Structure formats: structure tokens, C-alpha cells
Amino acid sequence: KFSAFAERPNPPNTEFRRFYERGDLPVQIDHGGVHNRIAWKVGIDKLDYHHYLPIFFDGLREIEEPYAFLAEQGVYDMMQVGPNKVLSVIPQLIIPIKTALNTRQRVVIVKVLKVLKAL
């Protein structure tokens, strides 16, 4: 039986995971105090948004930690620091957003919609 709302497979093969495991992303987790934060290895304002923002958006469909936390917080940090840089990257974000929404997993959909609202 098929349903329009049935969850679809969400393979853990995101670009975000691949880049993070290779050490190609300028982020790491800062285990400080009560809440974890992202420690950026480079100033966020110096990042190439055309390269990194689509990768972080692809990571929004991650449900495994630490990938899910790093991707979501990374997107918010980049949007907060460089809102004027985000506009030109929006066409490159459509496919990662569509892929995330197509998983039909509630936790992923809610996360993506919150990011879109903040956009």
C-alpha cells in the first residue's frame, strides 16, 4: 500500500557528511557548558557562500548526530552573518531543499521549514 505521506528512504550520503568526514568543512563542535556550539575554523564572513551554503543545506536532511546539529546550526550562522550573500546562492539551494523535503520525514521537514522561514 502506498501513501503520499509515507516516509521515503533518506540515505546518509549527503555532501555535508562526505565533506565533514574528509575534514573539508571549516567547522567543529565546541563542547562548552550546557549547549554545544559550532567552532568555526575560519571567519564566517570570509567563507565562499556559493560553495559552502549548498553543502550545509544538503546536510539539513541528516538525522544522525553530529551531522544534523552542525548542518542546521551552520546554516543559521551563515544566514545571520552574511544575509546579503545568501540571496545570490538561493538558486543553488533549491535541489538540497527539495531532496530534504522529499524524505517526508517529519523531523527533517520541520527543520527545513524553520530554516526557510528564517531565510
Side-chain angles (χ1 to χ4, degrees), residues 66-115:
Y67 311 106
F69 168 73
L70 285 169
E72 184 176 9
Q73 193 56 52
V75 165
Y76 283 121
D77 288 357
M78 290 176 77
M79 288 190 319
Q80 183 179 6
V81 170
N84 53 340
K85 294 181 178 183
V86 173
L87 186 60
S88 63
V89 185
I90 286 180
Q92 293 172 266
L93 303 179
I94 292 169
I95 290 175
I97 291 169
K98 182 179 177 230
T99 305
L101 293 175
N102 275 337
T103 65
R104 297 188 181 162
Q105 293 179 342
R106 285 180 187 230
V107 66
V108 174
I109 291 172
V110 167
K111 189 185 334 179
V112 171
L113 291 177
K114 285 181 179 176
V115 166

Side-chain angles (χ1 to χ4, degrees), residues 40 42-49 74 77-79 81-82 85:
W40 291 88
V42 179
I44 301 172
D45 55 326
K46 293 178 175 49
L47 290 176
D48 176 3
Y49 275 53
D77 288 357
M78 290 176 77
M79 288 190 319
V81 170
K85 294 181 178 183

Side-chain angles (χ1 to χ4, degrees), residues 6-80:
E7 287 187 7
R8 293 182 174 167
N10 184 8
N13 63 347
T14 63
E15 288 288 298
F16 181 83
R17 182 180 292 225
R18 198 165 57 85
F19 276 79
Y20 182 73
E21 288 175 349
R22 278 195 333 213
D24 290 343
L25 292 178
V27 294
Q28 62 189 30
I29 294 184
D30 177 13
H31 300 283
V34 178
H35 299 290
N36 289 336
R37 291 189 307 262
I38 288 187
W40 291 88
K41 300 174 189 172
V42 179
I44 301 172
D45 55 326
K46 293 178 175 49
L47 290 176
D48 176 3
Y49 275 53
H50 285 275
H51 177 69
Y52 287 111
L53 198 57
I55 293 170
F56 276 85
F57 262 82
D58 189 46
L60 289 176
R61 69 183 170 97
E62 286 283 357
I63 50 177
E64 216 177 294
E65 298 298 343
Y67 311 106
F69 168 73
L70 285 169
E72 184 176 9
Q73 193 56 52
V75 165
Y76 283 121
D77 288 357
M78 290 176 77
M79 288 190 319
Q80 183 179 6

